[in-house]
Amino acid sequence: MNVESEVPVRECMSTPVETVATETSLVAAAQTMRNASISALVVMSEPRSIVTSTDFVDAVAQERDVTSLSTADISTAVVTTVEPDLPLTQAAATMTQHDSSHLPVAEAGELVGMLSKTDLAQYQAD
């Protein structure tokens, strides 16, 4: 991906970050994602986790009863976050290194945005 090396994540990240509680049903989480036109939600667990559209697909493919599951049942622990002033090139490298399509953006421990591969592609197209 050919993004400008000095452009900070904050110029590209999506805000506000959509979050859900751990006990949120998958149906409610899917509705939130559809209504917000996003493909990931941060699950407000300790440690924080993330649920993505891929997690939904995996649950269905595994023939799990998605009507009885919560976000905590299919979410993935957030391995890493990035700072909003990190250059996009480094954030993209982090996504590649962790095989991730989404990176939560945190500043002083507070969630301030979400960076996705879609955000990077849209930024590059502009």
Side-chain angles (χ1 to χ4, degrees), residues 19-66:
T19 63
V20 291
T22 57
E23 66 275 2
T24 302
S25 73
L26 292 190
V27 172
Q31 290 169 340
T32 297
M33 290 168 69
R34 183 187 60 206
N35 292 341
S37 297
I38 57 174
S39 57
L41 296 166
V42 172
V43 181
M44 299 307 287
S45 55
E46 237 357 274
R48 282 197 182 123
S49 60
I50 190 169
V51 63
T52 68
S53 54
T54 301
D55 296 322
F56 284 88
V57 170
D58 289 346
V60 171
Q62 294 165 6
E63 298 182 7
R64 296 178 73 182
D65 180 8
V66 294

Side-chain angles (χ1 to χ4, degrees), residues 3 5 7-10 12 80-84 86-98 100 102-103 105 115 117 120:
V3 294
S5 62
V7 174
V9 166
R10 76 173 67 251
C12 186
T80 189
T81 60
V82 294
E83 294 280 331
L86 185 74
L88 284 177
T89 52
Q90 290 181 27
T94 299
M95 289 174 127
T96 301
Q97 178 184 10
H98 292 281
S100 174
H102 300 84
L103 280 176
V105 182
L115 181 67
K117 286 184 178 179
L120 290 171

Side-chain angles (χ1 to χ4, degrees), residues 67-94:
T67 60
S68 67
L69 297 175
S70 71
T71 55
D73 295 321
I74 69 166
S75 65
T76 303
V78 173
V79 175
T80 189
T81 60
V82 294
E83 294 280 331
D85 292 325
L86 185 74
L88 284 177
T89 52
Q90 290 181 27
T94 299

